Amino acid sequence: MTKPADEPGATRPRGRRPGETVTREAVLEAARARFAADGYAGASIRKIAADAGVDAALVIRFHGSKDALFAAAMALPPEAATMLTDALEGSRDEVGERMVRAFLRLWTDPATAEPMLVMFRSAVTNEQAAASLRSFIRARVLSVFLPRFPEVADGPLRATLASSMLLGVVVGRQIVGIESLVDADHEELVALLAPAVQRVLVP
Amino acid sequence: MTKPADEPGATRPRGRRPGETVTREAVLEAARARFAADGYAGASIRKIAADAGVDAALVIRFHGSKDALFAAAMALPPEAATMLTDALEGSRDEVGERMVRAFLRLWTDPATAEPMLVMFRSAVTNEQAAASLRSFIRARVLSVFLPRFPEVADGPLRATLASSMLLGVVVGRQIVGIESLVDADHEELVALLAPAVQRVLVP
């Protein structure tokens, strides 16, 4: 009943060449090791490609950018990597509220919630994953926050404090399952958290 | 060179009777299972003693109280169980600052920091530990917070939000090791966090 293996396309799922899945996994493994060893800024697509024994152009074709490769290596979908930094765009008076909404969306949207959970559990139990998360925060969160708030003293401290506070809330709500947090809807959480986050982010 | 085993006290470390260490561990195992199954409020010393096959008086002699037994079962020293609830005593205007200081102390004091880490890693990777933590928050944190702030609407939500925010900060600082948080001293953290926590706790 099955097609003979030599018929064109018979054993090739969705147009991938034979061996491509193996190559993709080798690239992700090389990326995880490089990001952990060299940090986000120090790891390059060229080095990762060399580690995986493939051409850099192939890594670009698979993932598009270093950001997307990092997200894939940490099992985060690409939209997770930009959702929080996007929240920093727009009116400064409402940046706290936008950050709260972005965190809640990130941890409840089915496309991002499960990968975030994997990422978080990795980072609190594994030093390699923690190192990757640290370099991501340095290179992505801070590099977007600081130029937008050039006059804010303690900018890195403020941005990482606000992010950590919100991480704690989603961990308490989605992982530990604290009842009063689970029972609260997004609007109740936004109403209580947005002024606090705003106050930490912007003097 | 060693004393003969039949000489009084020869094999008894610090006055414990033979078999006492085994019995203590059986009590802790029974306590962990009961707290997870019945919650903090539902678990009783009588039931835990019965599960461990010992007399309730022996459990009291070992641990002193249900609070202390829970702390021991979750590998937390007894002072950790009261440090945060103590922070709720005193002037309402400074309750945010006292909570921030209590969290920072809890996670940097050598006597409590390592057990807190064990507790936290258990709660984010193991549903039994998460259930124990939830029932502890319900029975201990909320039972102290709510009577002190009877007129505060959303009291349970406010108290658990503030605790989760602070948990996120200490996790980012002590576990993930985010540089800007590690580099900040307690006074810098208190200055930025106390107003935010105050605002979440008290309208």
Side-chain angles (χ1 to χ4, degrees):
Chain A
M1 286 296 133
T2 55
K3 294 180 181 183
D6 57 353
E7 186 174 322
T11 58
R12 296 176 196 174
R14 288 180 299 208
R16 288 189 181 177
R17 295 195 310 276
E20 181 169 322
T21 302
V22 174
T23 306
R24 279 179 180 270
E25 193 43 50
V27 168
L28 287 178
E29 276 175 359
R32 284 184 201 107
R34 270 288 161 196
F35 282 125
D38 301 345
Y40 181 88
S44 72
I45 287 198
R46 192 180 52 72
K47 283 189 222 164
I48 290 166
D51 291 347
V54 302
D55 197 82
L58 187 70
V59 177
I60 296 286
R61 185 164 76 77
F62 282 169
H63 294 287
S65 69
K66 191 164 91 168
D67 266 6
L69 175 58
F70 179 78
M74 295 306 296
L76 291 182
E79 58 266 41
T82 51
M83 213 180 259
L84 293 176
T85 52
D86 285 354
L88 296 173
E89 302 298 322
S91 148
R92 180 175 297 196
D93 292 346
E94 289 157 7
V95 65
E97 176 172 338
R98 287 197 306 275
M99 259 192 93
V100 176
R101 290 190 188 280
F103 259 87
L104 293 173
R105 201 164 57 242
L106 197 59
W107 282 79
T108 50
D109 185 325
T112 49
E114 179 65 22
M116 286 298 291
L117 199 60
V118 171
M119 156 72 127
F120 177 76
R121 288 203 169 109
S122 303
V124 300
T125 53
N126 177 286
E127 172 50 29
Q128 173 172 320
S132 291
L133 179 57
R134 283 197 298 275
S135 69
F136 179 69
I137 291 168
R138 256 197 321 270
R140 288 279 303 166
V141 180
L142 296 181
S143 73
V144 176
F145 180 82
L146 299 184
R148 282 193 53 78
F149 299 85
E151 84 297 357
V152 172
D154 299 330
L157 179 56
R158 287 175 178 274
T160 51
L161 271 180
S163 304
S164 301
M165 284 163 47
L166 288 170
L167 184 68
V169 172
V170 291
V171 166
R173 187 167 189 254
Q174 315 285 132
I175 300 184
V176 182
I178 298 168
E179 287 87 346
S180 46
L181 300 183
V182 173
D183 293 345
D185 63 27
H186 283 197
E187 293 310 314
E188 289 176 273
L189 295 171
V190 168
L192 286 172
L193 288 170
V197 173
Q198 180 77 26
R199 183 147 195 176
V200 169
L201 272 182
V202 185
Chain B
M1 289 294 129
T2 54
K3 294 180 181 180
D6 58 351
E7 186 176 319
T11 59
R12 296 176 195 173
R14 289 180 296 205
R16 288 188 182 179
R17 295 195 310 276
E20 182 170 320
T21 302
V22 174
T23 306
R24 279 178 181 270
E25 195 41 51
V27 168
L28 287 178
E29 275 175 0
R32 285 183 201 108
R34 270 286 161 197
F35 282 126
D38 301 346
Y40 181 88
S44 72
I45 286 198
R46 191 181 52 73
K47 282 189 222 165
I48 290 166
D51 291 348
V54 302
D55 198 81
L58 188 69
V59 177
I60 296 286
R61 185 163 76 78
F62 282 170
H63 294 287
S65 69
K66 191 164 92 169
D67 266 6
L69 176 58
F70 179 79
M74 294 309 294
L76 292 182
E79 59 265 41
T82 52
M83 215 179 258
L84 293 176
T85 52
D86 285 353
L88 297 173
E89 302 298 322
S91 146
R92 179 175 298 195
D93 292 346
E94 289 157 6
V95 64
E97 177 172 338
R98 287 198 306 277
M99 261 191 91
V100 176
R101 291 190 188 280
F103 259 87
L104 293 173
R105 202 163 56 242
L106 197 60
W107 282 79
T108 50
D109 185 324
T112 48
E114 179 65 21
M116 286 299 292
L117 199 61
V118 172
M119 155 72 129
F120 177 77
R121 288 201 168 111
S122 303
V124 300
T125 52
N126 176 285
E127 171 50 28
Q128 173 173 318
S132 291
L133 179 57
R134 283 197 297 275
S135 69
F136 178 69
I137 292 168
R138 257 196 320 270
R140 288 280 301 167
V141 181
L142 296 181
S143 73
V144 176
F145 181 81
L146 299 183
R148 282 192 54 77
F149 300 85
E151 84 296 358
V152 172
D154 297 331
L157 179 56
R158 286 174 178 276
T160 51
L161 271 180
S163 304
S164 301
M165 283 162 48
L166 288 171
L167 184 69
V169 172
V170 290
V171 166
R173 188 166 187 255
Q174 315 285 129
I175 300 183
V176 182
I178 298 168
E179 287 87 346
S180 47
L181 300 183
V182 173
D183 292 345
D185 64 27
H186 283 198
E187 293 310 314
E188 289 176 273
L189 295 171
V190 168
L192 286 172
L193 287 170
V197 172
Q198 180 77 26
R199 181 148 197 177
V200 169
L201 272 181
V202 184

